[in-house]
Amino acid sequence: MKKKDIKDILQNVKEGDLEVGQAMDNLRDLPFEDLGYAKVDHHRGLRNGYPEVIYCEGKTTAEIKGIVEKMMDRDQNILATRADEEVYHALQELTDDLEYHERARIVVVQKEELEQSDSKLLVMTGGTSDLAVAEEAAITAEVMGNTVERAYDVGVAGLHRLLAQKDKMAEANVIITVAGMEGALASVVSGLVDKPIIAVPTSVGYGANFDGLAALLAMLNSCASGLGVVNIDNGFGAAYLADSIINQIEQARDS
Amino acid sequence: MKKKDIKDILQNVKEGDLEVGQAMDNLRDLPFEDLGYAKVDHHRGLRNGYPEVIYCEGKTTAEIKGIVEKMMDRDQNILATRADEEVYHALQELTDDLEYHERARIVVVQKEELEQSDSKLLVMTGGTSDLAVAEEAAITAEVMGNTVERAYDVGVAGLHRLLAQKDKMAEANVIITVAGMEGALASVVSGLVDKPIIAVPTSVGYGANFDGLAALLAMLNSCASGLGVVNIDNGFGAAYLADSIINQIEQARDS
Amino acid sequence: MKKKDIKDILQNVKEGDLEVGQAMDNLRDLPFEDLGYAKVDHHRGLRNGYPEVIYCEGKTTAEIKGIVEKMMDRDQNILATRADEEVYHALQELTDDLEYHERARIVVVQKEELEQSDSKLLVMTGGTSDLAVAEEAAITAEVMGNTVERAYDVGVAGLHRLLAQKDKMAEANVIITVAGMEGALASVVSGLVDKPIIAVPTSVGYGANFDGLAALLAMLNSCASGLGVVNIDNGFGAAYLADSIINQIEQARDS
Amino acid sequence: MKKKDIKDILQNVKEGDLEVGQAMDNLRDLPFEDLGYAKVDHHRGLRNGYPEVIYCEGKTTAEIKGIVEKMMDRDQNILATRADEEVYHALQELTDDLEYHERARIVVVQKEELEQSDSKLLVMTGGTSDLAVAEEAAITAEVMGNTVERAYDVGVAGLHRLLAQKDKMAEANVIITVAGMEGALASVVSGLVDKPIIAVPTSVGYGANFDGLAALLAMLNSCASGLGVVNIDNGFGAAYLADSIINQIEQARDS
Amino acid sequence: MKKKDIKDILQNVKEGDLEVGQAMDNLRDLPFEDLGYAKVDHHRGLRNGYPEVIYCEGKTTAEIKGIVEKMMDRDQNILATRADEEVYHALQELTDDLEYHERARIVVVQKEELEQSDSKLLVMTGGTSDLAVAEEAAITAEVMGNTVERAYDVGVAGLHRLLAQKDKMAEANVIITVAGMEGALASVVSGLVDKPIIAVPTSVGYGANFDGLAALLAMLNSCASGLGVVNIDNGFGAAYLADSIINQIEQARDS
Amino acid sequence: MKKKDIKDILQNVKEGDLEVGQAMDNLRDLPFEDLGYAKVDHHRGLRNGYPEVIYCEGKTTAEIKGIVEKMMDRDQNILATRADEEVYHALQELTDDLEYHERARIVVVQKEELEQSDSKLLVMTGGTSDLAVAEEAAITAEVMGNTVERAYDVGVAGLHRLLAQKDKMAEANVIITVAGMEGALASVVSGLVDKPIIAVPTSVGYGANFDGLAALLAMLNSCASGLGVVNIDNGFGAAYLADSIINQIEQARDS
Amino acid sequence: MKKKDIKDILQNVKEGDLEVGQAMDNLRDLPFEDLGYAKVDHHRGLRNGYPEVIYCEGKTTAEIKGIVEKMMDRDQNILATRADEEVYHALQELTDDLEYHERARIVVVQKEELEQSDSKLLVMTGGTSDLAVAEEAAITAEVMGNTVERAYDVGVAGLHRLLAQKDKMAEANVIITVAGMEGALASVVSGLVDKPIIAVPTSVGYGANFDGLAALLAMLNSCASGLGVVNIDNGFGAAYLADSIINQIEQARDS
Amino acid sequence: MKKKDIKDILQNVKEGDLEVGQAMDNLRDLPFEDLGYAKVDHHRGLRNGYPEVIYCEGKTTAEIKGIVEKMMDRDQNILATRADEEVYHALQELTDDLEYHERARIVVVQKEELEQSDSKLLVMTGGTSDLAVAEEAAITAEVMGNTVERAYDVGVAGLHRLLAQKDKMAEANVIITVAGMEGALASVVSGLVDKPIIAVPTSVGYGANFDGLAALLAMLNSCASGLGVVNIDNGFGAAYLADSIINQIEQARDS
């Protein structure tokens, strides 16, 4: 399309329908507008149900409602993260096609059927208090079209519970580990399986935890290689990275 | 093999060659030894030239030499990271099949031909001072069998240089961005392409850089999603994570 | 029991009641399940009244109630830490056998008589504001079957009050020192008596206290040796460590 | 005026109307009072509408009202920053000539017509959540007599949006960039245009953002030179610095 | 020039000398190459002697020599910052037109006469230990064509020395204040004069100075508005920002 | 008195009224009790009105009321710091002889006339927002019998206001400087007068102020010697230190 | 002995051999000297070979030699920690009865036979780089008379190696876990066995490890209870705490 | 003198010897020069031997030599702090009247007899490693004319050693406590005596000591009031503050 625009301009110049000066004016903004192409998603954008995303924190309910309303024009699925109940009720006024995932604080407006990847994503947590972040990751990944498995409350202090997940770990293509406190889950899992692992520190804990800093540092300093760390409590970011890895895998599978 | 051991024990019990008490003694350590299987690499271990790794920092030259010598018995390629020239010369006494990558501080003992993945890994740096870390990543990835492209010194302060890498970025399956100072490269690249991006903060900078902390925090807080961050200066870890992602892609391609 | 399971499998194989293949399937999950035995408590588990523990922070009252209800099936004592009054009232609906320690924010469901160790644990605080944390430690230790002595508000700024505790200190087998602000209590006590000392920094203070960091660092850097430090405000953890030390002492006494 | 005072004293001494002792008493406080002249603003103070400023945070509504009342005696415009709605309503009781900029949390009491500089100030933000800080800067600058252009939500993750601002950037004499999270906007803008850039980190973000620290460090460590950084969320300070730069430019223009 | 290229292409297409396909190929890289124009310096680049800059830290002497050699082809002045004596001697082998500013650790290769701005830059320091950073700023600014005044060792602990600089402060268009320890110089100067002030914290000090952090925080939190802060010890950055402000002033003066 | 006790015991032993064994029992606790004498205040304790102190933060209103009630038995003046209005009203139920200093959050129960030292204490603040902390210092010092002068809102950004306090500074024996933000007041005052200066950082400010850390570090790193720093917002501690200095001065004056 | 002194004084008073005044003079220093008894070690001091300790860091070789020489008068074993080879050679001039533990940086002067406790101490490390700290702990404990078992390089990234230590863990009375990087070893071990565990963070690692801070925070925040943490790299402190626990156990065993 | 200058001017004007215009020129710089009087030391400057001070750190030996040479013109005593042996030898070339205090790193050039205050300063340290800082304080105070007592190595881990200093503590007018590690000395001393106490944290320690931060925070958060804290390792600053307190005491004594 863009390329076609340039071609049209040149064609018109060639055919004398467009003056050189005018053509230059038309080309003038090319550098910037053309950049839009940079982010074409050769595969992902074509999948059914791939959502538009809105991050609700720091926006008023009115603003969120307005943005979602505009998004709905495009008839795509919508993923609203960090959404509280008030946001949910406000969006109910716009459509009935929506679901509220309370633990994950996510509202999904579903216009199209969700597709499911062949690749598998496993989301694991150290404790039950890490659930909110884990669910943000899991739901986000699902709405982006990924097949998600869960293994919660399998922290390293009870190693047998963790080892009992070996089948799930063996079947996963990508693993997200969510843990607070000393954040050792990622290291131990990374020592058990040879998969891309995304480590999400949570702010769960107190005292010298310093709002997730302890877990964050632990994950960055893991003695086990192969970990990619995201921001504290950033379940969405972990899911997004997982999705972009799975996207590459799916493309390879399809090729 | 392990499985065969258990089978043999059971078979012996069945055939009366082994007493139940003895069999129990034999099975006693199973839980732990058997875990060894957990880390089987269904694909990677079979590739030609996949190396064993030794991290040299904090080890004496004598210790390193001893470990490498033992590794050489198994006739595999060897990757020695954070190796200075002294280590290189010590290892020269063991074999001629080795190469020293000075910038990357890596010694490679190459016994088998290196295979090359179809997937592509792109390693980018913000500045020339990030080269040491970037080369640690690039050489590590190559020795692990990956096809690596480089795009160095393309930091965000000279946007045109970065944008000139669009083809390389478009072709890559995974991108490693290496940057110090304010570490903005990862964010900008992540905004341009929809690929898994591994962000490596470097300790390049001074003052309020606090030995890489500034870049690390920047990458963890990126407004662009889809980044997995590793420890400051951890080129090896970035390569390892990239390799494990590409491993999944290659398996999908082969399936 | 576990051992018996393996024996049964082997016996059945021997007697031809079980095929080798089936036996292998049965043994397959052994490594993980079997690990459950690792944490047998040769002494402690057998004492009367040894409680199950639930940490309430970050759980909803409904969740806590559900967990406690399930715990009550096993007829053991229950220790609910970081429990507020709302939790207490919710648990009152389940049973009458419960007590609320307001200062310690602990609910105890007592099904069995509490035993008392011969060994003595002394809990000391620097000030009255450290009471909540100290009581969490003291009550926890008592419910775990330990004999607890208290010496509160004996901070180093009034040395004579501290020195007046010499008899209590001399009789204790283990001492827990709880202090905020500059956290010097542990150092001074450690200089006076030659006992295992567990140091609990509290978040009591303001300004450059940085929520307990000052006391934490002071305890970690004590010029007096023999201190084991736990997390800020972690009265429970201190009691648990004290209990596991006393457990060793009691076993030696019984042997 | 001051000089005249000294001259008068000397003249009186000369003419015998004033004793040396009395003259010395009169001169005694000169050092301090005279300093008042130091801050004369040869240009700015003369512009129409240049406001007096009151920072509302940490002051009671009553105190603010009292201060503004006193300021109003001098018939100058007044700029009240960090003012909430309560302050606005309280000030409404004093005058009708006031306007409330809700996003910027600024109340302006306008007694004189606002002048407008020939020089242009461009205020840019990375995201919509940076708006409050950006508007504090923009409104402050306007009330101080500057011509302000806005370019909001043009963060580096969507580079084409940022590049589309090239005309505005080219026309500006001074640019204020407001960004939270990883704060890369300042670096990228500084790489595009050769203008004085004032970088304002915001506390927008979460987790390892540490209330704006990540953005602050990023801006201080920018690989692009020519940035002056102000405190986190300090929109007012950025505007004040911009105004003092533009002040110099306007003086040069008039000369 | 760039514009002319596009015009030529279009002209050639119009005149049939260039096929549309070929023209598209030629235009293909425009977006990126064209960006080069973004940083045109309408005024500064035309001044005599405006230098190219090389930051020596983290580069080997050989690399620096190589880069400078290449720069010398363009016959421009060259500014090498953070250069030690070894670098100086290596560059002496390339040319005689160079000067070494030892305190500033700067080597200047002077090919063209330096111009001097009408605007004045004043560089002030709190103590003598801040001289290295201050000289880096002063020399950099001079080589960029600015008229620089110095007022060193005028820290706030000796207020009379500072106040004695009133004439220099009054005459300056921009002031750079360089200070370590508690970094109060910027605040006091900012309270005295109404000019753009660039504050450079230095790492001078010890103990709770934390390598310049104390001074950095002080400057960011100044009660006096109108300060732009740069990184710790970043004399070059301060000069660069000052130069870009003066650039605007000079343009206004010329207009 | 204490000495008399020992003497009595010895006398009784000598006279045969007390057995050696009993005497030893009596002497047994001497080491500790006797320490009480260590803190005799040869001067201060004898002054009229010297108060007992209670720090209210972290105590319930009931606890505070109880403690104050007990203190009132001894008929001394009482100083309750960090007291809110609720505490004030609760104490009103105990006595009418009390006064509430709202800004200082101090309740004073006055039983005896307050004495006044000949020495003078000057309390200065950088801004009006530092008033609460400054008043805590001033009222505390007054209730301890010191003559207090105040000079508020004389921060370094308006140097003439500060210099106008020269007489007050010259007359003071001890100066307390209270400042938030960049905390430069202490340094500048210390450069002006040669008196013991107690520096109190306040948590006034925002962003990179980090709750008073910036001011604290500035004061610790002052280029001016002769500063003693207390904890952030610790007006009471500053007054206590000032009082103990003045105590020494008064004793010298009386001698 | 002390008690006898007091008795003698009283007896002499009783018998008229000592005047009351003189007796008071004699008693005068009792409070302080008598405190010496506080640290009597009812058990440990009596064991054979219990050493005196000297911490060498920050002392000159001459000073160390002098102190050791004086210690040798008392004919006790001596433990010199943080001793480099130079210290070792200097001490060789004093005696032949000494041994240098290079890895542990410990010199032992052995005058008496070392006793061995029945209780067992297990020292574990995550990696080989933690050996220096672990050996400091192990040698210290041995010289204090403890039976020490070692299990090195059993970090959580290779879980099977760790689980293979189950027998050693089961037999130990106290466990010291030494680990750098993310410091997860303590958590995992604590989840496996119910023993007192002393966690020693090491400064092994780089980047966001911040010289052991990451490991320290991880251990303080362990999700597994029962950990006592000591300072970074403080092998000696860990051994001392272990010894004081074992001391209690041995006393119970003997009772 | 200054006053006399003004008087002379006025007198000359009065007598017609000086024109008003000229008089104004003469008065013009008064504000600043006159400030010089602000720091008159009514007592201290008149004492015999009061020294001029030079802080050597960060200055070259040549610079130090130059400054001292100039100081020697004024025939005053000179105190050079943070001076290493090289500085000492360089200064030996200037005069024979100098002494080098190695531990304190201080060179004293003594031209006049040192006076001694009646007031007493006591300098205490926690350990022997704090000696360098303590001696910097002690020597500085002595050269400033104070009577200094020392009590070293009396840390809180050996309370009896500390308590044995009671007489020295009772006699002192001001106490400086110097301590590293957990820095508890100041708190305990402050609890024992009611004197102004200056607390100096030292960087002695390792690991979580963070170069003196632990001790610094401990002293700022002391539960004992009446402490003034100075920068880490700042023995000079402590002495200077002590001297300014004693100065006030001496003045009171003389009055």
Side-chain angles (χ1 to χ4, degrees), chain C residues 37-39 41 44 166 173 190-192 194-196 220-221 225-229 231 236 240-241 244 248-249 252, chain G residues 37-39 41 44 166 173 190-192 194-196 220-221 225-226 228-231 236 241 244 248-249 252:
Chain C
Y37 83 92
K39 190 124 187 179
D41 180 341
R44 185 148 59 167
K166 69 176 168 170
N173 293 82
S190 179
L192 290 173
D194 199 8
K195 308 280 168 80
L220 288 168
N221 287 286
S225 296
L227 298 178
V229 184
N231 198 359
F236 173 78
Y240 196 98
L241 174 54
S244 92
Q248 292 293 325
I249 300 173
Chain G
Y37 85 91
K39 191 128 186 175
D41 180 342
R44 185 147 60 168
K166 69 176 168 170
N173 294 83
S190 179
L192 290 173
D194 198 8
K195 308 280 168 77
L220 288 168
N221 286 285
S225 297
V229 183
V230 299
N231 198 0
F236 173 79
L241 175 53
S244 91
Q248 293 292 324
I249 300 174

Side-chain angles (χ1 to χ4, degrees), chain F residues 34-35 37-42 44 50 163 166 170 172-174 190-197 216-217 220-222 225-232 234 236-237 240-241 244-245 247-250 252-255, chain H residues 35 37-42 44 50 163 166-167 170 172-174 190-197 216-217 220-221 225-232 234 236-237 240-241 244-250 252-255:
Chain F
D34 194 30
L35 266 175
Y37 85 91
K39 192 126 185 177
V40 286
D41 181 341
H42 297 290
R44 187 148 58 167
Y50 200 79
L163 295 177
K166 67 175 171 169
N173 293 82
V174 179
S190 179
L192 290 173
V193 291
D194 198 7
K195 309 280 169 80
I197 292 170
L216 171 63
L217 292 184
L220 287 168
N221 286 285
S222 177
S225 297
L227 297 178
V229 184
V230 298
N231 198 0
I232 298 162
N234 190 5
F236 173 79
Y240 196 98
L241 174 53
S244 90
I245 295 174
N247 203 21
Q248 293 293 325
I249 300 174
E250 298 284 285
R253 188 165 287 146
D254 297 357
S255 70
Chain H
L35 266 174
Y37 84 91
K39 192 128 186 174
V40 285
D41 181 340
H42 297 292
R44 186 148 59 168
Y50 199 78
L163 295 177
K166 68 174 171 172
D167 290 343
N173 294 81
V174 178
S190 180
L192 290 174
V193 292
D194 199 8
K195 309 281 167 79
I197 291 171
L216 171 64
L217 293 183
L220 288 167
N221 286 285
S225 296
L227 298 178
V229 183
V230 299
N231 198 0
I232 297 163
N234 191 5
F236 173 79
Y240 195 98
L241 175 53
S244 92
I245 295 173
I246 289 175
N247 203 21
Q248 293 293 324
I249 300 173
E250 299 284 285
R253 188 165 286 144
D254 298 357
S255 68

Side-chain angles (χ1 to χ4, degrees), chain C residues 74-131:
Chain C
R74 273 163 289 183
D75 256 327
Q76 273 191 282
N77 291 342
I78 297 167
L79 179 73
T81 65
R82 303 276 160 114
D84 55 26
E85 218 149 320
E86 189 192 318
V87 168
Y88 171 49
H89 293 313
L91 297 185
Q92 279 182 314
E93 296 165 21
L94 296 178
T95 174
D96 288 344
D97 301 336
L98 89 180
E99 201 174 350
Y100 185 45
H101 302 268
E102 198 183 337
R103 272 257 84 150
R105 284 167 304 159
I106 283 179
V107 177
V108 179
V109 181
Q110 194 166 337
K111 287 285 178 187
E112 294 182 80
E113 194 63 26
L114 293 179
E115 236 180 45
Q116 287 235 316
S117 66
D118 289 337
S119 299
K120 277 181 187 150
L121 170 65
L122 173 61
V123 181
M124 310 177 82
T125 75
T128 43
S129 333
D130 303 313
L131 267 184

